């Protein structure tokens, strides 16, 4: 099934970002389930008294891994829906609070399963309730920061977006007043140049050079500059609507008019030119999420 969407400069609601956000949450929940299951089977981190087991230990591990995945899927699914609907600003403190609430919910769910999993007359005691909450916080906090460090590592590698994404934004960025004309420094001083960033449609890498394709009214111009695409990208980080959609392309998301393609890759179209810019297959999820992020920041 092919995808064909009219973006219209990010001013209209479209369906695929929400759908892909849900897909990412499902993927993340499945990965969490598999990691927890493997962890429980390999290390048996918490004490288990075999005569109390109502079923094989493998099944008990299965239910203990399934419960956090389902709670995570439900909780963050509702949270993401509320954030998208109400435009809730996200901060790091709010993220920690939500993680704490999630761990309490998981611990409570594990406690409520005890009668189903274990033969113990004290299953409903406060001691076991507090023990389940404690175990969830011990394992959950370690797991959360492991995911955070992994996320930073993968996000630092171009073209390798990290799949475990539960919360839309960790920190609400500070809004800046951005200038249209910026000065770009190159490795050779005499090649430094001024650029009207609002006119830029996209930049294409060509070795240690880049081709800048700009639109001024109905006139399309292309300039070659002596600077790598990565170096150029680092100098326009204050302009969040530029996205590295491909190893060789950096695109102005505000200028994109249409998106066509499928899970193998997208093609981006502009009003001003017939040139189409590819979005690589491994950047599709990042592109969809980034589009949604821009909408939440810049569309009232």
């Amino acid at each position: 099934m092919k995808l064909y969407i009219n973006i219209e400069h990010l001013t209209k609601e479209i369906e695929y970002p929400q759908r892909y956000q849900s897909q990412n949450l499902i993927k993340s929940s499945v990965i969490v389930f598999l990691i927890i299951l493997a962890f429980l089977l390999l290390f048996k981190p918490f004490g288990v008294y075999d005569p109390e087991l109502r079923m094989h230990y493998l099944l008990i591990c299965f239910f203990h891994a399934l419960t956090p995945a389902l709670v995570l899927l439900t909780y963050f699914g509702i949270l993401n829906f509320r954030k998208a609907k109400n435009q809730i600003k996200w901060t790091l403190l709010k993220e920690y609070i939500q993680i704490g609430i999630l761990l309490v919910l998981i611990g409570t769910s594990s406690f409520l399963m005890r009668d189903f999993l274990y033969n113990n007359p004290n299953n409903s005691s406060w001691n076991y309730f507090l023990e389940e909450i404690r175990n969830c916080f011990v394992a959950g906090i370690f797991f959360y920061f492991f995911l955070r460090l992994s996320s930073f590592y993968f996000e630092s590698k171009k073209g390798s977006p990290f799949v475990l994404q539960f919360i839309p934004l960790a920190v609400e960025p500070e809004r800046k007043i951005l200038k249209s004309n910026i000065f770009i420094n190159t490795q050779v001083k005499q090649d430094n140049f001024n650029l009207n960033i609002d006119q830029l449609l996209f930049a294409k890498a060509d070795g240690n050079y880049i081709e800048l394709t700009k639109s001024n009214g109905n006139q399309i111009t292309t300039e070659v500059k002596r600077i790598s695409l990565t170096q150029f990208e680092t100098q326009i980080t204050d302009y969040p609507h530029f996205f590295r959609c491909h190893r060789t392309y950096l695109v102005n998301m505000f200028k994109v008019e249409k998106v066509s393609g499928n899970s193998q890759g997208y093609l981006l179209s502009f009003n001003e030119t017939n040139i189409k810019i590819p979005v690589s297959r491994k950047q599709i999820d990042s592109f969809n999420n980034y589009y949604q992020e821009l909408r939440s920041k810049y569309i009232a």
Side-chain angles (χ1 to χ4, degrees):
M1 180 182 230
K2 289 195 173 181
L3 175 70
Y4 189 76
I5 299 167
N6 189 339
I7 290 184
E8 295 189 3
H9 306 295
L10 305 179
T11 58
K12 289 188 178 181
E13 184 71 33
I14 62 175
E15 295 181 358
Y16 78 85
Q18 291 83 0
R19 175 164 60 86
Y20 275 94
Q21 190 173 34
S22 299
Q23 289 177 353
N24 277 339
L25 189 54
I26 292 171
K27 288 180 189 176
S28 301
S29 300
V30 170
I31 292 174
V32 166
F33 165 75
L34 294 174
I35 291 175
I36 294 176
L37 181 61
F39 181 73
L40 292 174
L41 290 174
L42 290 174
F43 299 106
K44 290 189 178 182
F46 306 113
V48 176
Y49 183 50
D50 290 342
E52 290 185 359
L53 304 184
R54 284 183 176 269
M55 59 190 72
H56 193 278
Y57 181 69
L58 176 61
L59 282 175
I60 290 178
C61 290
F62 173 84
F63 286 114
H64 273 304
L66 181 64
T67 299
L70 292 178
V71 172
L72 183 149
L73 180 65
T74 304
Y75 184 75
F76 280 111
I78 295 172
L79 189 67
N80 286 347
F81 174 78
R82 286 185 62 247
K83 181 180 183 296
K85 185 176 180 180
N86 301 322
Q87 297 297 313
I88 300 172
K89 291 185 178 181
W90 202 255
T91 64
L92 195 58
L93 176 60
K94 287 182 180 179
E95 179 169 329
Y96 290 155
I97 292 172
Q98 299 303 332
I99 292 296
I101 295 172
L102 179 69
L103 293 177
V104 170
L105 290 176
I106 293 172
T108 303
S109 301
S110 298
F111 171 74
L112 295 175
M113 288 196 305
R114 288 194 62 84
D115 282 332
F116 173 66
L117 300 177
Y118 306 107
N119 274 315
N120 190 311
N122 298 317
N123 277 337
S124 300
S125 67
W126 280 104
N127 286 337
Y128 275 121
F129 175 73
L130 295 176
E131 182 179 309
E132 292 291 352
I133 298 294
R134 181 203 66 191
N135 291 345
C136 278
F137 269 86
V138 170
I141 291 173
F142 169 80
F143 187 59
Y144 169 75
F145 283 105
F146 169 77
L147 294 183
R148 269 289 174 203
L149 291 174
S150 300
S151 177
F152 293 149
Y153 170 75
F154 282 102
E155 287 171 0
S156 68
K157 299 176 68 176
K158 288 294 179 184
S160 300
F162 190 54
V163 71
L164 289 169
Q165 297 172 357
F166 310 129
I167 304 174
L169 289 174
V171 180
E172 181 71 13
E174 203 176 303
R175 295 293 176 85
K176 297 180 180 179
I177 299 175
L178 303 178
K179 300 178 181 179
S180 296
N181 292 296
I182 60 175
F183 187 75
I184 302 297
N185 291 291
T186 65
Q187 292 181 340
V188 181
K189 187 174 181 179
Q190 58 264 33
D191 291 332
N192 296 346
F193 62 96
N194 287 294
L195 174 67
N196 187 329
I197 199 73
D198 291 339
Q199 295 179 357
L200 184 61
L201 297 180
F202 59 88
K204 178 184 178 182
D206 185 10
N208 291 324
Y209 293 80
I210 58 171
E211 295 179 5
L212 301 176
T213 298
K214 300 185 292 183
S215 171
N216 186 6
N218 294 324
Q219 185 178 5
I220 299 296
T221 59
T222 299
E223 298 178 0
V224 177
K225 300 295 183 181
R226 189 185 301 187
I227 184 174
S228 71
L229 187 59
T230 299
Q231 292 169 336
F232 177 73
E233 185 180 14
T234 60
Q235 295 190 51
I236 61 169
T237 53
D238 286 342
Y239 299 81
H241 52 287
F242 283 88
F243 178 71
R244 188 78 171 262
C245 61
H246 188 277
R247 182 175 56 85
T248 56
Y249 286 98
L250 181 72
V251 65
N252 185 345
M253 295 283 281
F254 287 168
K255 297 290 188 178
V256 175
E257 178 64 20
K258 293 179 182 177
V259 179
S260 58
N262 52 37
S263 60
Q264 299 304 306
Y266 292 167
L267 288 176
L268 309 181
S269 303
F270 307 87
N271 268 338
E272 298 88 343
T273 177
N274 292 326
I275 299 174
K276 297 184 185 298
I277 303 303
V279 178
S280 63
R281 181 171 58 181
K282 60 185 177 182
Q283 285 290 70
I284 287 179
D285 284 346
S286 290
F287 177 85
N288 294 327
N289 291 333
Y290 201 64
Y291 172 89
Q292 182 64 13
E293 184 179 324
L294 285 177
R295 285 198 78 260
S296 66
K297 288 180 183 177
Y298 296 103
I299 304 302

mmCIF file of all heavy atoms in Angstrom, residues 134-149:
data_model
loop_
_atom_site.group_PDB
_atom_site.id
_atom_site.type_symbol
_atom_site.label_atom_id
_atom_site.label_comp_id
_atom_site.label_asym_id
_atom_site.label_seq_id
_atom_site.Cartn_x
_atom_site.Cartn_y
_atom_site.Cartn_z
ATOM 1 N N ARG A 134 8.866 -2.061 45.778
ATOM 2 C CA ARG A 134 10.316 -1.887 45.912
ATOM 3 C C ARG A 134 11.047 -2.559 44.759
ATOM 4 O O ARG A 134 11.958 -1.979 44.150
ATOM 5 C CB ARG A 134 10.784 -2.485 47.238
ATOM 6 C CG ARG A 134 12.285 -2.329 47.490
ATOM 7 C CD ARG A 134 12.773 -3.369 48.468
ATOM 8 N NE ARG A 134 12.675 -4.712 47.902
ATOM 9 C CZ ARG A 134 12.825 -5.833 48.600
ATOM 10 N NH1 ARG A 134 13.038 -5.778 49.909
ATOM 11 N NH2 ARG A 134 12.740 -7.016 48.004
ATOM 12 N N ASN A 135 10.670 -3.801 44.440
ATOM 13 C CA ASN A 135 11.326 -4.522 43.344
ATOM 14 C C ASN A 135 11.168 -3.787 42.021
ATOM 15 O O ASN A 135 12.106 -3.729 41.211
ATOM 16 C CB ASN A 135 10.759 -5.936 43.222
ATOM 17 C CG ASN A 135 11.152 -6.817 44.389
ATOM 18 O OD1 ASN A 135 12.064 -6.483 45.147
ATOM 19 N ND2 ASN A 135 10.470 -7.934 44.552
ATOM 20 N N CYS A 136 9.984 -3.222 41.788
ATOM 21 C CA CYS A 136 9.755 -2.488 40.538
ATOM 22 C C CYS A 136 10.620 -1.243 40.453
ATOM 23 O O CYS A 136 11.153 -0.923 39.390
ATOM 24 C CB CYS A 136 8.277 -2.113 40.417
ATOM 25 S SG CYS A 136 7.264 -3.444 39.783
ATOM 26 N N PHE A 137 10.777 -0.543 41.570
ATOM 27 C CA PHE A 137 11.604 0.660 41.546
ATOM 28 C C PHE A 137 13.084 0.309 41.386
ATOM 29 O O PHE A 137 13.814 0.983 40.649
ATOM 30 C CB PHE A 137 11.384 1.490 42.818
ATOM 31 C CG PHE A 137 10.300 2.512 42.670
ATOM 32 C CD1 PHE A 137 8.977 2.176 42.892
ATOM 33 C CD2 PHE A 137 10.603 3.810 42.285
ATOM 34 C CE1 PHE A 137 7.969 3.118 42.741
ATOM 35 C CE2 PHE A 137 9.609 4.762 42.133
ATOM 36 C CZ PHE A 137 8.277 4.413 42.361
ATOM 37 N N VAL A 138 13.537 -0.751 42.049
ATOM 38 C CA VAL A 138 14.945 -1.150 41.917
ATOM 39 C C VAL A 138 15.261 -1.521 40.477
ATOM 40 O O VAL A 138 16.224 -1.033 39.876
ATOM 41 C CB VAL A 138 15.264 -2.322 42.869
ATOM 42 C CG1 VAL A 138 16.645 -2.902 42.552
ATOM 43 C CG2 VAL A 138 15.207 -1.869 44.319
ATOM 44 N N ALA A 139 14.431 -2.403 39.905
ATOM 45 C CA ALA A 139 14.677 -2.849 38.528
ATOM 46 C C ALA A 139 14.317 -1.762 37.525
ATOM 47 O O ALA A 139 15.018 -1.561 36.529
ATOM 48 C CB ALA A 139 13.878 -4.120 38.242
ATOM 49 N N GLY A 140 13.211 -1.041 37.780
ATOM 50 C CA GLY A 140 12.720 -0.054 36.819
ATOM 51 C C GLY A 140 13.650 1.127 36.650
ATOM 52 O O GLY A 140 13.874 1.596 35.530
ATOM 53 N N ILE A 141 14.188 1.641 37.757
ATOM 54 C CA ILE A 141 15.092 2.788 37.661
ATOM 55 C C ILE A 141 16.364 2.404 36.914
ATOM 56 O O ILE A 141 16.853 3.153 36.052
ATOM 57 C CB ILE A 141 15.418 3.334 39.063
ATOM 58 C CG1 ILE A 141 14.175 3.981 39.669
ATOM 59 C CG2 ILE A 141 16.564 4.333 39.015
ATOM 60 C CD1 ILE A 141 14.336 4.404 41.108
ATOM 61 N N PHE A 142 16.890 1.219 37.214
ATOM 62 C CA PHE A 142 18.067 0.748 36.477
ATOM 63 C C PHE A 142 17.753 0.613 34.996
ATOM 64 O O PHE A 142 18.519 1.051 34.127
ATOM 65 C CB PHE A 142 18.519 -0.604 37.048
ATOM 66 C CG PHE A 142 19.551 -1.305 36.211
ATOM 67 C CD1 PHE A 142 20.890 -0.951 36.277
ATOM 68 C CD2 PHE A 142 19.171 -2.317 35.336
ATOM 69 C CE1 PHE A 142 21.832 -1.585 35.491
ATOM 70 C CE2 PHE A 142 20.111 -2.954 34.543
ATOM 71 C CZ PHE A 142 21.445 -2.595 34.626
ATOM 72 N N PHE A 143 16.602 0.022 34.690
ATOM 73 C CA PHE A 143 16.206 -0.207 33.309
ATOM 74 C C PHE A 143 15.998 1.111 32.574
ATOM 75 O O PHE A 143 16.420 1.287 31.428
ATOM 76 C CB PHE A 143 14.919 -1.041 33.301
ATOM 77 C CG PHE A 143 14.492 -1.499 31.941
ATOM 78 C CD1 PHE A 143 15.326 -2.280 31.156
ATOM 79 C CD2 PHE A 143 13.240 -1.172 31.444
ATOM 80 C CE1 PHE A 143 14.932 -2.706 29.902
ATOM 81 C CE2 PHE A 143 12.838 -1.596 30.200
ATOM 82 C CZ PHE A 143 13.679 -2.364 29.420
ATOM 83 N N TYR A 144 15.358 2.088 33.247
ATOM 84 C CA TYR A 144 15.088 3.381 32.630
ATOM 85 C C TYR A 144 16.374 4.100 32.241
ATOM 86 O O TYR A 144 16.517 4.599 31.125
ATOM 87 C CB TYR A 144 14.263 4.245 33.585
ATOM 88 C CG TYR A 144 14.150 5.682 33.145
ATOM 89 C CD1 TYR A 144 13.314 6.052 32.101
ATOM 90 C CD2 TYR A 144 14.893 6.677 33.775
ATOM 91 C CE1 TYR A 144 13.214 7.371 31.690
ATOM 92 C CE2 TYR A 144 14.798 8.000 33.380
ATOM 93 C CZ TYR A 144 13.959 8.343 32.339
ATOM 94 O OH TYR A 144 13.870 9.652 31.926
ATOM 95 N N PHE A 145 17.332 4.157 33.181
ATOM 96 C CA PHE A 145 18.573 4.862 32.872
ATOM 97 C C PHE A 145 19.432 4.099 31.863
ATOM 98 O O PHE A 145 20.173 4.705 31.092
ATOM 99 C CB PHE A 145 19.351 5.151 34.160
ATOM 100 C CG PHE A 145 18.785 6.301 34.932
ATOM 101 C CD1 PHE A 145 18.063 6.085 36.086
ATOM 102 C CD2 PHE A 145 18.934 7.599 34.481
ATOM 103 C CE1 PHE A 145 17.513 7.148 36.792
ATOM 104 C CE2 PHE A 145 18.398 8.673 35.169
ATOM 105 C CZ PHE A 145 17.683 8.448 36.336
ATOM 106 N N PHE A 146 19.298 2.779 31.837
ATOM 107 C CA PHE A 146 19.955 2.005 30.786
ATOM 108 C C PHE A 146 19.398 2.398 29.420
ATOM 109 O O PHE A 146 20.147 2.602 28.453
ATOM 110 C CB PHE A 146 19.753 0.507 31.041
ATOM 111 C CG PHE A 146 20.155 -0.362 29.879
ATOM 112 C CD1 PHE A 146 21.495 -0.621 29.618
ATOM 113 C CD2 PHE A 146 19.191 -0.904 29.043
ATOM 114 C CE1 PHE A 146 21.864 -1.416 28.548
ATOM 115 C CE2 PHE A 146 19.558 -1.696 27.962
ATOM 116 C CZ PHE A 146 20.893 -1.954 27.711
ATOM 117 N N LEU A 147 18.074 2.536 29.326
ATOM 118 C CA LEU A 147 17.455 2.953 28.068
ATOM 119 C C LEU A 147 17.861 4.376 27.696
ATOM 120 O O LEU A 147 18.088 4.672 26.526
ATOM 121 C CB LEU A 147 15.931 2.867 28.176
ATOM 122 C CG LEU A 147 15.319 1.475 28.333
ATOM 123 C CD1 LEU A 147 13.797 1.572 28.355
ATOM 124 C CD2 LEU A 147 15.762 0.559 27.214
ATOM 125 N N ARG A 148 17.940 5.257 28.686
ATOM 126 C CA ARG A 148 18.345 6.631 28.417
ATOM 127 C C ARG A 148 19.755 6.689 27.826
ATOM 128 O O ARG A 148 20.007 7.353 26.822
ATOM 129 C CB ARG A 148 18.309 7.444 29.710
ATOM 130 C CG ARG A 148 16.990 8.137 29.961
ATOM 131 C CD ARG A 148 16.834 9.243 28.989
ATOM 132 N NE ARG A 148 15.526 9.865 29.088
ATOM 133 C CZ ARG A 148 14.975 10.539 28.114
ATOM 134 N NH1 ARG A 148 15.585 10.626 26.949
ATOM 135 N NH2 ARG A 148 13.822 11.112 28.251
ATOM 136 N N LEU A 149 20.682 5.974 28.440
ATOM 137 C CA LEU A 149 22.059 5.963 27.939
ATOM 138 C C LEU A 149 22.121 5.340 26.552
ATOM 139 O O LEU A 149 22.838 5.813 25.667
ATOM 140 C CB LEU A 149 22.957 5.192 28.915
ATOM 141 C CG LEU A 149 23.194 5.859 30.276
ATOM 142 C CD1 LEU A 149 23.975 4.923 31.203
ATOM 143 C CD2 LEU A 149 23.936 7.178 30.118
#
